Amino acid sequence: MIAHADAARVVVYTREGCHLCAEAEAAVAEVCAETGDSWTRIDIDDDPDLRARFTEQVPVTFVDGKQHDFWRVDAGRLRNALGRRR
């Protein structure tokens, strides 16, 4: 498990100025609003270990502490993942 991954059901690792990150956050926010699941955003540039791990791979989404996607969020795939029990 990665740092901060247990703060919410869905974690989106992002960085400022990343247009894909903004799109991913919007998709995650919409899906989580539908499902009632919690989510949070973590800026990788605030943590040297996260920055080293993800570098250009952001946005990276985790569901229940496990990596789910990177670069893009497929809303249907995320809904399916959230429909499964933890």
Side-chain angles (χ1 to χ4, degrees), residues 17-63:
C18 168
H19 73 282
L20 290 177
C21 297
E23 291 173 16
E25 287 178 50
V28 167
E30 182 177 329
V31 170
C32 286
E34 292 171 12
T35 64
D37 289 293
S38 60
W39 75 281
T40 192
R41 172 194 186 276
I42 296 175
D43 188 327
I44 66 165
D45 291 323
D46 292 338
D47 182 317
D49 292 331
L50 293 176
R51 187 173 50 247
R53 179 170 178 179
F54 296 125
T55 314
E56 300 300 320
Q57 203 177 41
V58 292
V60 181
T61 54
F62 276 66
V63 175

Side-chain angles (χ1 to χ4, degrees), residues 66-85:
K66 296 179 184 168
Q67 188 169 341
H68 178 72
D69 265 325
F70 64 95
W71 291 336
R72 305 242 184 235
V73 172
D74 179 303
R77 189 168 175 268
L78 180 58
R79 276 186 205 93
N80 286 340
L82 292 172
R84 288 185 228 122
R85 293 219 181 268

